[in-house]
Coordinates of all heavy atoms in Angstrom, one line a residue:
I1 N 0.8 -1.2 0.0 CA 0.0 0.0 0.0 C 0.9 1.3 0.0 O 0.6 2.2 -0.7 CB -1.0 0.0 1.2 CG1 -2.0 -1.1 1.1 CG2 -1.7 1.3 1.3 CD1 -2.8 -1.3 2.3
L2 N 1.9 1.3 0.8 CA 2.8 2.5 0.9 C 3.5 2.7 -0.4 O 3.7 3.9 -0.8 CB 3.8 2.3 2.1 CG 3.2 2.3 3.5 CD1 4.3 2.1 4.5 CD2 2.5 3.7 3.7
T3 N 3.8 1.6 -1.1 CA 4.5 1.8 -2.4 C 3.6 2.5 -3.4 O 4.0 3.3 -4.1 CB 4.9 0.4 -2.9 OG1 5.7 -0.3 -1.9 CG2 5.8 0.5 -4.2
E4 N 2.3 2.1 -3.4 CA 1.4 2.7 -4.3 C 1.1 4.1 -4.0 O 1.0 5.0 -4.9 CB 0.0 1.9 -4.3 CG 0.1 0.5 -4.9 CD 0.6 0.5 -6.3 OE1 0.2 1.3 -7.1 OE2 1.5 -0.4 -6.6
I5 N 1.1 4.5 -2.7 CA 0.9 5.9 -2.3 C 2.1 6.7 -2.7 O 2.0 7.8 -3.3 CB 0.7 6.0 -0.7 CG1 -0.6 5.4 -0.3 CG2 0.8 7.4 -0.3 CD1 -0.8 5.2 1.2
K6 N 3.3 6.1 -2.6 CA 4.5 6.8 -3.0 C 4.5 7.0 -4.5 O 4.9 8.1 -5.0 CB 5.8 6.0 -2.6 CG 7.0 6.8 -2.8 CD 8.3 6.1 -2.6 CE 8.4 4.9 -1.7 NZ 9.8 4.4 -1.5
K7 N 4.1 6.0 -5.3 CA 4.1 6.2 -6.7 C 3.1 7.3 -7.1 O 3.4 8.1 -8.0 CB 3.7 4.8 -7.4 CG 4.8 3.8 -7.4 CD 4.3 2.5 -8.0 CE 5.3 1.4 -7.9 NZ 4.8 0.1 -8.5
A8 N 1.9 7.3 -6.5 CA 0.9 8.3 -6.8 C 1.4 9.7 -6.5 O 1.2 10.6 -7.3 CB -0.4 8.0 -6.1
L9 N 2.0 9.9 -5.4 CA 2.5 11.2 -5.0 C 3.7 11.6 -5.9 O 3.8 12.8 -6.2 CB 3.0 11.2 -3.5 CG 1.8 11.1 -2.5 CD1 2.4 10.9 -1.1 CD2 0.9 12.3 -2.6
T10 N 4.5 10.7 -6.4 CA 5.5 11.0 -7.3 C 4.9 11.6 -8.6 O 5.5 12.5 -9.2 CB 6.4 9.8 -7.6 OG1 6.9 9.2 -6.4 CG2 7.5 10.1 -8.5
R11 N 3.8 11.0 -9.0 CA 3.1 11.5 -10.2 C 2.2 12.7 -9.9 O 1.5 13.2 -10.8 CB 2.2 10.4 -10.8 CG 3.0 9.2 -11.3 CD 2.0 8.2 -12.0 NE 0.8 8.0 -11.4 CZ 0.5 6.9 -10.6 NH1 1.5 6.0 -10.4 NH2 -0.6 6.7 -10.0
E12 N 2.3 13.2 -8.7 CA 1.5 14.4 -8.2 C 0.0 14.1 -8.3 O -0.8 15.1 -8.6 CB 1.9 15.6 -8.9 CG 3.4 16.0 -8.6 CD 3.8 17.4 -9.1 OE1 2.9 18.2 -9.2 OE2 5.0 17.6 -9.3
V13 N -0.4 12.9 -8.0 CA -1.8 12.6 -7.9 C -2.3 12.6 -6.5 O -1.6 12.1 -5.6 CB -2.1 11.2 -8.5 CG1 -3.5 10.7 -8.4 CG2 -1.6 11.1 -9.9
R14 N -3.5 13.2 -6.2 CA -4.0 13.2 -4.9 C -4.4 11.8 -4.4 O -5.0 11.0 -5.2 CB -5.3 14.1 -4.9 CG -5.9 14.3 -3.5 CD -7.1 15.3 -3.6 NE -7.8 15.3 -2.4 CZ -8.9 14.5 -2.2 NH1 -9.4 13.7 -3.2 NH2 -9.6 14.6 -1.1
V15 N -4.1 11.4 -3.2 CA -4.4 10.1 -2.6 C -5.3 10.3 -1.5 O -5.0 11.1 -0.5 CB -3.1 9.4 -2.1 CG1 -3.4 8.1 -1.5 CG2 -2.1 9.3 -3.2
A16 N -6.5 9.7 -1.5 CA -7.5 9.8 -0.5 C -7.7 8.4 0.2 O -7.8 7.4 -0.5 CB -8.8 10.3 -1.0
I17 N -7.7 8.4 1.5 CA -7.9 7.2 2.3 C -9.1 7.4 3.1 O -9.1 8.3 4.0 CB -6.7 6.8 3.1 CG1 -5.5 6.6 2.2 CG2 -7.0 5.5 3.9 CD1 -4.2 6.4 3.0
R18 N -10.2 6.7 2.8 CA -11.5 7.0 3.5 C -11.3 6.8 5.1 O -10.7 5.8 5.5 CB -12.6 6.0 3.0 CG -12.9 6.4 1.6 CD -14.1 5.6 1.1 NE -15.4 5.7 1.7 CZ -16.2 6.8 1.6 NH1 -15.9 7.7 0.8 NH2 -17.3 6.8 2.2
G19 N -11.9 7.8 5.8 CA -11.8 7.7 7.2 C -10.5 8.2 7.8 O -10.4 8.3 9.1
W20 N -9.5 8.5 7.0 CA -8.2 8.9 7.5 C -7.9 10.3 7.0 O -7.5 11.2 7.8 CB -7.1 7.9 7.1 CG -5.8 8.3 7.7 CD1 -5.4 8.1 9.0 CD2 -4.7 8.8 7.0 NE1 -4.1 8.6 9.1 CE2 -3.7 9.0 7.9 CE3 -4.5 9.2 5.7 CZ2 -2.4 9.5 7.6 CZ3 -3.3 9.7 5.3 CH2 -2.2 9.8 6.3
G21 N -7.9 10.5 5.7 CA -7.6 11.8 5.1 C -7.1 11.7 3.7 O -7.2 10.7 3.1
S22 N -6.5 12.8 3.2 CA -5.9 12.8 1.9 C -4.6 13.4 1.9 O -4.2 14.3 2.7 CB -6.9 13.5 0.9 OG -7.0 14.9 1.3
L23 N -3.7 13.0 0.9 CA -2.4 13.5 0.7 C -2.3 14.1 -0.7 O -2.9 13.5 -1.6 CB -1.4 12.3 0.8 CG -1.3 11.6 2.2 CD1 -0.6 10.3 2.0 CD2 -0.6 12.5 3.2
R24 N -1.6 15.2 -0.8 CA -1.3 15.7 -2.1 C 0.0 16.5 -2.1 O 0.5 16.8 -1.0 CB -2.4 16.7 -2.6 CG -2.5 17.9 -1.8 CD -3.7 18.8 -2.3 NE -3.8 20.0 -1.5 CZ -3.7 21.2 -2.0 NH1 -3.5 21.3 -3.3 NH2 -3.8 22.2 -1.2
I25 N 0.6 16.7 -3.2 CA 1.8 17.4 -3.4 C 1.5 18.9 -3.6 O 0.7 19.3 -4.4 CB 2.7 16.9 -4.5 CG1 3.1 15.4 -4.3 CG2 3.9 17.8 -4.8 CD1 4.0 15.2 -3.2
R26 N 2.2 19.8 -2.9 CA 2.1 21.2 -3.0 C 3.4 21.8 -3.4 O 4.4 21.3 -2.9 CB 1.5 21.9 -1.8 CG 0.1 21.6 -1.5 CD -0.4 22.3 -0.3 NE 0.1 23.7 -0.3 CZ -0.1 24.5 0.8 NH1 -0.7 24.1 1.8 NH2 0.4 25.7 0.8
N27 N 3.4 22.9 -4.1 CA 4.7 23.6 -4.5 C 4.9 24.7 -3.4 O 4.0 25.6 -3.3 CB 4.6 24.1 -5.9 CG 4.7 23.0 -6.9 OD1 5.4 22.1 -6.8 ND2 3.9 23.1 -7.9
Q28 N 6.0 24.6 -2.7 CA 6.2 25.7 -1.7 C 7.2 26.7 -2.4 O 8.2 26.3 -3.0 CB 6.9 25.1 -0.5 CG 7.1 26.0 0.6 CD 7.6 25.3 1.9 OE1 8.6 24.6 1.8 NE2 7.0 25.6 3.0
K29 N 6.8 28.0 -2.3 CA 7.6 29.0 -3.0 C 9.0 29.2 -2.2 O 9.1 28.8 -1.1 CB 6.9 30.3 -2.9 CG 5.6 30.4 -3.6 CD 5.0 31.8 -3.4 CE 3.6 31.8 -4.1 NZ 3.0 33.1 -3.9
S30 N 9.9 29.7 -3.0 CA 11.2 30.0 -2.3 C 11.0 31.2 -1.4 O 10.1 32.0 -1.5 CB 12.3 30.4 -3.4 OG 11.9 31.6 -4.0
S31 N 11.8 31.2 -0.3 CA 11.6 32.3 0.7 C 12.9 32.7 1.3 O 13.9 32.0 1.3 CB 10.6 31.8 1.8 OG 11.1 30.7 2.4
L32 N 12.9 33.8 2.0 CA 14.0 34.3 2.7 C 13.7 34.1 4.2 O 12.7 34.6 4.7 CB 14.2 35.8 2.4 CG 15.5 36.4 2.9 CD1 16.7 35.8 2.2 CD2 15.5 37.9 2.6
R33 N 14.5 33.3 4.8 CA 14.3 33.0 6.3 C 15.6 33.3 7.0 O 16.6 33.6 6.4 CB 14.0 31.5 6.4 CG 12.7 31.2 5.7 CD 12.2 29.8 5.9 NE 11.1 29.5 5.1 CZ 10.5 28.4 5.1 NH1 11.0 27.3 5.8 NH2 9.4 28.2 4.3
R34 N 15.5 33.2 8.3 CA 16.7 33.5 9.1 C 17.1 32.3 10.0 O 16.2 31.6 10.5 CB 16.5 34.8 9.9 CG 15.5 34.7 11.0 CD 15.5 36.0 11.9 NE 14.6 35.8 13.0 CZ 14.9 35.2 14.1 NH1 16.1 34.8 14.3 NH2 14.0 35.0 15.0
H35 N 18.3 32.2 10.3 CA 18.9 31.1 11.2 C 18.5 31.5 12.6 O 18.8 32.7 13.0 CB 20.4 31.0 11.0 CG 20.9 29.8 11.6 ND1 21.3 29.7 12.9 CD2 21.2 28.6 11.1 CE1 21.7 28.5 13.2 NE2 21.7 27.8 12.1
R36 N 18.0 30.6 13.4 CA 17.5 31.0 14.8 C 18.7 31.4 15.7 O 18.6 32.4 16.4 CB 16.9 29.8 15.4 CG 15.5 29.6 15.0 CD 14.8 28.6 16.0 NE 14.1 27.6 15.2 CZ 14.0 26.3 15.5 NH1 14.5 25.9 16.6 NH2 13.3 25.5 14.8
K37 N 19.8 30.7 15.6 CA 20.9 31.0 16.5 C 21.7 32.2 16.1 O 22.0 33.0 17.0 CB 21.8 29.8 16.7 CG 21.1 28.6 17.4 CD 22.0 27.4 17.5 CE 21.3 26.3 18.2 NZ 22.2 25.1 18.3
T38 N 22.0 32.3 14.8 CA 22.9 33.3 14.4 C 22.2 34.6 13.9 O 22.8 35.7 13.9 CB 23.9 32.8 13.3 OG1 23.1 32.5 12.2 CG2 24.7 31.6 13.8
G39 N 21.0 34.4 13.4 CA 20.2 35.5 12.9 C 20.6 35.8 11.4 O 20.0 36.8 10.9
D40 N 21.5 35.0 10.8 CA 21.8 35.2 9.4 C 20.6 34.9 8.5 O 19.9 33.9 8.8 CB 23.0 34.3 9.0 CG 24.3 34.7 9.7 OD1 24.4 35.8 10.2 OD2 25.2 33.8 9.8
K41 N 20.5 35.6 7.5 CA 19.4 35.4 6.5 C 19.8 34.3 5.5 O 21.0 34.3 5.1 CB 18.9 36.6 5.8 CG 18.3 37.6 6.8 CD 17.8 38.8 6.1 CE 17.1 39.7 7.1 NZ 16.6 40.9 6.5
A42 N 18.9 33.5 5.1 CA 19.3 32.4 4.1 C 18.1 32.3 3.1 O 16.9 32.4 3.5 CB 19.5 31.1 4.8
E43 N 18.5 32.1 1.9 CA 17.5 31.8 0.8 C 17.1 30.4 0.8 O 18.0 29.5 0.7 CB 18.0 32.3 -0.5 CG 17.1 32.0 -1.7 CD 16.0 33.0 -1.8 OE1 16.1 34.2 -1.2 OE2 15.0 32.7 -2.4
V44 N 15.9 30.0 1.0 CA 15.4 28.7 0.9 C 14.8 28.5 -0.5 O 13.8 29.2 -0.8 CB 14.4 28.4 2.0 CG1 13.9 26.9 1.9 CG2 15.0 28.6 3.4
P45 N 15.3 27.5 -1.3 CA 14.7 27.4 -2.6 C 13.3 26.8 -2.6 O 12.9 26.2 -1.7 CB 15.7 26.4 -3.3 CG 16.4 25.7 -2.1 CD 16.4 26.6 -1.0
A46 N 12.6 27.0 -3.8 CA 11.3 26.4 -3.9 C 11.4 24.9 -3.9 O 12.4 24.3 -4.3 CB 10.7 26.8 -5.3
K47 N 10.4 24.2 -3.3 CA 10.4 22.7 -3.3 C 9.0 22.2 -3.2 O 8.1 23.0 -3.0 CB 11.2 22.3 -2.1 CG 10.7 22.8 -0.7 CD 11.6 22.4 0.4 CE 11.1 23.1 1.7 NZ 12.0 22.8 2.8
K48 N 8.9 20.9 -3.4 CA 7.6 20.2 -3.3 C 7.5 19.6 -1.9 O 8.4 19.0 -1.4 CB 7.5 19.1 -4.4 CG 7.5 19.7 -5.8 CD 7.4 18.6 -6.8 CE 7.4 19.3 -8.2 NZ 7.2 18.3 -9.2
V49 N 6.3 19.8 -1.3 CA 6.1 19.2 0.0 C 4.8 18.4 0.0 O 3.9 18.7 -0.8 CB 6.0 20.4 1.1 CG1 7.3 21.0 1.3 CG2 4.9 21.4 0.8
I50 N 4.7 17.5 0.9 CA 3.5 16.7 1.1 C 2.5 17.4 2.0 O 2.9 17.8 3.1 CB 3.8 15.3 1.6 CG1 4.7 14.5 0.6 CG2 2.5 14.5 1.9 CD1 5.1 13.2 1.1
N51 N 1.3 17.5 1.6 CA 0.2 18.2 2.4 C -0.8 17.1 2.8 O -1.3 16.4 1.9 CB -0.4 19.3 1.6 CG -1.5 20.0 2.3 OD1 -2.7 19.7 2.2 ND2 -1.1 20.9 3.2
W52 N -1.1 17.0 4.1 CA -2.1 16.1 4.6 C -3.3 16.8 5.1 O -3.1 17.8 5.8 CB -1.5 15.2 5.7 CG -2.5 14.3 6.3 CD1 -3.1 13.2 5.7 CD2 -3.0 14.3 7.6 NE1 -4.0 12.6 6.5 CE2 -3.9 13.2 7.8 CE3 -2.7 15.1 8.7 CZ2 -4.6 13.0 8.9 CZ3 -3.4 14.8 9.9 CH2 -4.3 13.8 10.0
K53 N -4.5 16.4 4.7 CA -5.7 17.0 5.2 C -6.5 15.9 5.9 O -6.8 14.8 5.3 CB -6.5 17.6 4.1 CG -7.8 18.3 4.6 CD -8.5 19.0 3.5 CE -9.7 19.7 4.0 NZ -10.5 20.3 3.0
M54 N -6.9 16.1 7.1 CA -7.6 15.2 7.9 C -9.0 15.0 7.3 O -9.6 16.0 7.0 CB -7.7 15.7 9.3 CG -8.3 14.7 10.3 SD -8.4 15.4 12.0 CE -6.8 16.1 12.3
S55 N -9.6 13.8 7.4 CA -10.9 13.6 6.9 C -11.9 14.1 8.0 O -11.6 14.3 9.1 CB -11.2 12.1 6.6 OG -11.3 11.4 7.8
K56 N -13.1 14.4 7.5 CA -14.2 14.9 8.4 C -14.4 13.8 9.5 O -14.6 14.2 10.7 CB -15.4 15.2 7.7 CG -16.5 15.9 8.5 CD -17.7 16.1 7.6 CE -17.7 17.5 7.0 NZ -19.0 17.8 6.4
E57 N -14.4 12.6 9.1 CA -14.7 11.5 10.1 C -13.6 11.4 11.2 O -13.9 11.3 12.4 CB -14.7 10.1 9.4 CG -15.8 10.0 8.4 CD -15.7 8.8 7.5 OE1 -15.0 7.8 7.9 OE2 -16.3 8.7 6.4
M58 N -12.3 11.6 10.8 CA -11.2 11.6 11.7 C -11.3 12.8 12.6 O -11.1 12.6 13.8 CB -9.9 11.6 10.9 CG -8.7 11.8 11.8 SD -8.1 10.2 12.6 CE -7.3 9.5 11.3
F59 N -11.6 13.9 12.1 CA -11.8 15.1 12.9 C -12.8 15.0 14.0 O -12.6 15.3 15.1 CB -12.1 16.3 12.0 CG -12.3 17.6 12.7 CD1 -11.2 18.4 13.1 CD2 -13.5 18.1 13.1 CE1 -11.3 19.6 13.8 CE2 -13.7 19.3 13.8 CZ -12.5 20.0 14.1
E60 N -14.0 14.4 13.6 CA -15.1 14.2 14.5 C -14.7 13.2 15.6 O -15.0 13.3 16.8 CB -16.3 13.7 13.8 CG -16.9 14.9 13.0 CD -18.1 14.4 12.1 OE1 -18.4 13.2 12.0 OE2 -18.7 15.3 11.4
K61 N -14.0 12.1 15.2 CA -13.6 11.1 16.2 C -12.6 11.7 17.2 O -12.7 11.4 18.4 CB -12.9 9.9 15.5 CG -13.8 9.0 14.8 CD -13.0 7.9 14.1 CE -13.9 7.0 13.4 NZ -13.2 5.9 12.7
I62 N -11.7 12.5 16.8 CA -10.7 13.1 17.7 C -11.3 14.1 18.6 O -11.0 14.2 19.8 CB -9.5 13.7 16.9 CG1 -8.7 12.6 16.2 CG2 -8.7 14.6 17.7 CD1 -7.7 13.2 15.2
N63 N -12.2 14.9 18.1 CA -12.7 16.1 18.8 C -14.0 15.7 19.7 O -14.3 16.5 20.5 CB -13.0 17.2 17.9 CG -11.7 17.8 17.4 OD1 -10.9 18.2 18.2 ND2 -11.6 17.9 16.1
N64 N -14.6 14.6 19.4 CA -15.8 14.3 20.1 C -15.6 13.2 21.1 O -16.5 12.7 21.8 CB -17.0 13.9 19.2 CG -17.5 15.0 18.4 OD1 -17.3 16.2 18.8 ND2 -18.0 14.7 17.2
E65 N -14.3 12.7 21.3 CA -14.0 11.7 22.2 C -13.9 12.2 23.6 O -13.3 13.2 23.9 CB -12.6 11.1 21.8 CG -12.7 9.6 21.6 CD -11.3 9.1 21.1 OE1 -10.3 9.6 21.6 OE2 -11.3 8.2 20.3
E66 N -14.5 11.4 24.5 CA -14.4 11.8 26.0 C -13.2 11.0 26.5 O -13.1 9.8 26.4 CB -15.7 11.5 26.7 CG -16.8 12.3 26.3 CD -18.1 12.0 27.0 OE1 -18.0 11.4 28.1 OE2 -19.2 12.3 26.5
V67 N -12.4 11.7 27.2 CA -11.2 11.1 27.8 C -11.4 10.7 29.2 O -12.1 11.3 30.0 CB -10.0 12.1 27.7 CG1 -8.7 11.4 28.3 CG2 -9.7 12.4 26.3

């Protein structure tokens, strides 16, 4: 299953798993950030990142559960 998910994400296809959520590839823009310790500014290049969105069912299970 994980191999198929990896193949789909490589092709930039959205992957949905019922009751859990969906995964998709997003393009993150390049940005100017700073190093926490030194304060030096650094250019971070554009890259592709995995974005996960929780399903409505998962959200309700997590937030309506009594502990």
Side-chain angles (χ1 to χ4, degrees):
I1 295 173
L2 292 176
T3 307
E4 293 301 318
I5 292 172
K6 189 186 333 182
K7 286 179 185 177
L9 290 173
T10 303
R11 294 188 316 264
E12 296 190 27
V13 176
R14 182 175 170 267
V15 178
I17 302 171
R18 291 186 61 79
W20 184 73
S22 62
L23 297 164
R24 68 183 180 117
I25 297 293
R26 287 183 42 189
N27 292 318
Q28 188 175 48
K29 296 178 185 178
S30 62
S31 61
L32 190 63
R33 300 187 184 175
R34 67 176 186 84
H35 191 278
R36 277 194 230 148
K37 292 181 181 179
T38 63
D40 294 340
K41 292 183 179 181
E43 178 75 25
V44 178
K47 58 185 171 183
K48 294 180 181 185
V49 294
I50 297 174
N51 179 262
W52 175 65
K53 183 175 180 184
M54 185 183 314
S55 72
K56 190 182 263 188
E57 295 169 22
M58 174 78 79
F59 181 82
E60 289 172 356
K61 284 180 184 178
I62 291 173
N63 290 304
N64 293 333
E65 233 176 41
E66 293 182 21
V67 179

